[in-house]
Amino acid sequence: MDYLPIFADLKQRPVLVVGGGEVAARKIDLLLRAGAQVRIVAQALSPELEQRRQAAQVSWSAQAFLPEQLDDVFLVIAATDDAALNAEVFEQANQRHVLANVVDDQPKCSFIFPSIVDRSPIVVAISSSGKAPVLARMLREKLETLLPSSLGQMADIAGRWRENVKAQFSSMRARRRFWEHAFAGRFASLASAGKLAEAEQALQQQLESAEDVSHNGNVTLVGAGPGDAGLLTLRGLQVMQQADVVLYDHLVSDEVLDLVRRDADKICVGKRAGSHSVAQEETNRLLVELAQQGKRVVRLKGGDPFIFGRGGEELQAVKAAGIPFQVVPGVTAAAGATAYAGIPLTHRDHAQSVIFVTGHCRPENNGVQWETLAKGQQTLAIYMGTLKAAEISQQLIAHGRAPDTPVAVIGRGTRSDQQVLTGTLVNLEHLAQQAPTPALLVIGEVVSLHQELAWFGHHPETDGTQRPSVVNLA
């Protein structure tokens, strides 16, 4: 982060503003709303600031800036059209370790003003670290339309009822669930309609009838998608934000993990080929044990949890223990990675079917139907196949697939460092050895469309994404 976002308590704290024009007036309006004691240093005051001075809302300390004026203030704002004066204010403030903001001059700011959505006491601050203020303003405008004006009143009521709820529920988990239900239920609806007295009655009724549900745990299986956090479903995000504990795989990207609620426990139960860090039986046991402790457990799996993700096995264990569960599907790697690589899985000129295959089967399940997989006019999307790429290539060719069949190995699909390595079936092993993991093997005539349809990272002037490395071994 370029700046640490903090909320400062300015009530009854002295703040110095150097400047008396319209820009200074806008900053002073925010400072007064926060309860600051505003002192102004300026040669003259704008009509608006003069009115505030006469109303004793601000004090006009001096016409000229002197360094000693900074000795007892909490922070300072320089809002003049004199660059030399603004620079002097900043330097003098730095020497005294006083926070300073020079308006519209980011290098001379030890703090900056964000764009603000004010639903006091709920306040949302948005900042681009001074790099794109128009973008920050546009985001604020969108949030203004999404956040109801009743949020502040709801927060005020909640503040008054916190002690009552704390007295009713001894555990933090039970209190959190009470409030989550309140903010999503009748209380919130009544508050949004402006019926504040009835809203408080609804809160009282909920408190009187509520049971301690802290022991009612559950499990939600969530597909995290192939890597790009933008492909996570809205439902998946909502569940992750409500979780008490998240069990995740190595395939889940850091960008997706960053979206988990901050105070949730995160436990890695990932597996890697040839090195099982957590046995499947241990993962099953953890799911059951944590849910039986009353926790809301999210099992976060890369891609879609029901496609080569052992999600069914895990839910069988949860079901057997009598624990409630649900499933949130995700974008599977074959759909996401190929789409980002510009490779359609089906195309009426090239492939009328697509087969999803795992290259990592149980040792005893070696009866692969190579004759079926080797048929033409179909696409093979092979998960976890890099270690067996040589065998896959040999068997497909031996069973009739042409050696010059187009292939692609998509490493770290949908992520900013995605690599698409293309060639033919005969050199699949070589491509797989070069690809970063996780990687998806794609075999079929549709791969020939990659050069024409590739879009992700290929147009930085329009989409802002990075250009992936591409190797063609055709």
Side-chain angles (χ1 to χ4, degrees):
M1 294 184 295
D2 293 326
Y3 293 87
L4 176 67
I6 59 176
F7 289 83
D9 180 6
L10 298 184
K11 293 182 181 64
Q12 302 304 311
R13 297 183 187 273
V15 175
L16 182 67
V17 177
V18 182
E22 294 181 2
V23 175
R26 289 198 299 269
K27 301 301 182 185
I28 288 172
D29 178 65
L30 287 173
L31 295 171
L32 292 176
R33 286 161 60 184
Q37 293 181 348
V38 178
R39 304 173 184 175
I40 302 175
V41 172
Q43 294 181 352
L45 300 182
S46 67
E48 178 183 351
L49 291 180
E50 176 59 27
Q51 290 179 0
R52 288 193 180 278
R53 186 191 68 81
Q54 293 181 9
Q57 296 175 346
V58 300
S59 63
W60 188 4
S61 300
Q63 290 184 311
F65 171 73
L66 297 174
E68 53 265 30
Q69 294 163 351
L70 297 168
D71 288 343
D72 63 344
V73 299
F74 190 70
L75 55 85
V76 60
I77 298 169
T80 78
D81 55 7
D82 186 335
L85 175 57
N86 290 342
E88 182 185 2
V89 173
F90 177 71
E91 292 300 328
Q92 292 295 333
N94 266 351
Q95 292 180 20
R96 291 165 171 77
H97 305 292
V98 173
L99 291 174
N101 176 277
V102 177
V103 178
D104 291 333
D105 193 351
Q106 182 194 357
K108 295 184 178 63
C109 291
S110 53
F111 80 95
I112 57 178
F113 282 90
S115 292
I116 295 172
V117 180
D118 189 1
R119 301 289 187 271
S120 292
I122 301 297
V123 178
V124 180
I126 307 158
S127 170
S128 66
S129 299
K131 294 177 173 60
V134 173
L135 178 59
R137 176 181 57 79
M138 292 172 64
L139 291 174
R140 177 185 61 79
E141 292 171 353
K142 290 182 181 295
L143 289 175
E144 287 279 8
T145 64
L146 294 173
L147 302 180
S149 59
S150 59
L151 280 180
Q153 294 171 323
M154 289 171 56
D156 280 331
I157 295 173
R160 294 197 298 271
W161 280 74
R162 284 189 67 190
E163 292 303 320
N164 293 338
V165 174
K166 188 178 294 186
Q168 176 78 8
F169 300 111
S170 58
S171 76
M172 182 179 298
R173 186 179 304 116
R175 294 196 293 270
R176 183 169 62 238
R177 293 189 182 184
F178 174 88
W179 285 117
E180 287 172 349
H181 177 72
F183 291 138
R186 188 164 180 266
F187 163 69
S189 298
L190 291 169
S192 297
K195 300 178 180 180
L196 302 184
E198 294 179 41
E200 294 211 44
Q201 291 176 4
L203 205 60
Q204 178 66 49
Q205 292 170 0
Q206 179 185 333
L207 189 62
E208 292 174 350
S209 62
E211 299 178 355
D212 188 340
V213 295
S214 62
H215 297 293
N216 299 333
N218 58 75
V219 173
T220 304
L221 195 60
V222 178
D228 183 351
L231 297 180
L232 184 70
T233 65
L234 178 59
R235 176 61 180 156
L237 176 62
Q238 292 170 341
V239 171
M240 287 161 56
Q241 286 289 309
Q242 296 170 1
D244 297 310
V245 59
V246 175
L247 278 62
Y248 66 94
D249 289 341
H250 287 300
L251 294 179
V252 178
S253 68
D254 292 340
E255 292 78 10
V256 172
L257 284 176
D258 284 342
L259 299 175
V260 174
R261 197 179 73 199
R262 295 296 180 190
D263 57 344
D265 294 328
K266 290 186 284 190
I267 303 172
C268 180
V269 292
K271 303 173 182 63
R272 296 189 187 276
S275 175
H276 284 47
S277 56
V278 179
Q280 186 61 55
E281 293 73 17
E282 175 65 10
T283 299
N284 296 349
R285 185 193 67 78
L286 277 172
L287 288 170
V288 171
E289 182 179 284
L290 292 167
Q292 288 176 339
Q293 293 173 6
K295 295 180 179 180
R296 286 170 297 186
V297 183
V298 164
R299 176 67 172 100
L300 193 59
K301 304 178 77 69
D304 181 272
F306 276 4
I307 298 181
F308 306 129
R310 301 188 184 180
E313 298 176 36
E314 293 172 1
L315 288 189
Q316 285 178 306
V318 171
K319 173 71 173 179
I323 295 168
F325 64 88
Q326 58 180 302
V327 181
V328 180
V331 176
T332 188
T338 56
Y340 274 51
I343 301 174
L345 288 171
T346 62
H347 190 285
R348 62 179 180 174
D349 293 334
H350 301 292
Q352 285 70 54
S353 63
V354 58
I355 300 178
F356 292 177
V357 187
T358 175
H360 184 65
C361 300
R362 289 181 180 269
E364 64 270 20
N365 295 340
N366 55 6
V368 179
Q369 299 296 318
W370 291 109
E371 296 86 355
T372 300
L373 298 180
K375 291 180 179 179
Q377 295 296 302
Q378 69 180 4
T379 305
L380 301 182
I382 304 178
Y383 296 68
M384 298 170 284
T386 56
L387 294 181
K388 296 188 177 181
E391 178 185 355
I392 291 169
S393 174
Q394 294 166 5
Q395 291 288 350
L396 289 176
I397 292 173
H399 287 83
R401 199 76 194 243
D404 62 352
T405 300
V407 301
V409 180
I410 307 172
R412 299 183 63 80
T414 78
R415 308 186 193 200
S416 61
D417 56 350
Q418 170 182 291
Q419 290 189 22
V420 182
L421 312 179
T422 61
T424 58
L425 184 57
V426 72
N427 55 40
L428 179 62
E429 179 186 10
H430 181 57
L431 291 171
Q433 290 172 347
Q434 295 184 70
T437 57
L440 178 82
L441 311 185
V442 185
I443 301 171
E445 287 73 15
V446 291
V447 174
S448 63
L449 298 173
H450 163 67
Q451 294 298 331
E452 180 182 353
L453 301 181
W455 60 272
F456 180 61
H458 281 242
H459 303 287
E461 69 278 7
T462 57
D463 64 17
T465 55
Q466 299 180 25
R467 180 182 299 274
S469 301
V470 179
V471 176
N472 192 319
L473 294 181

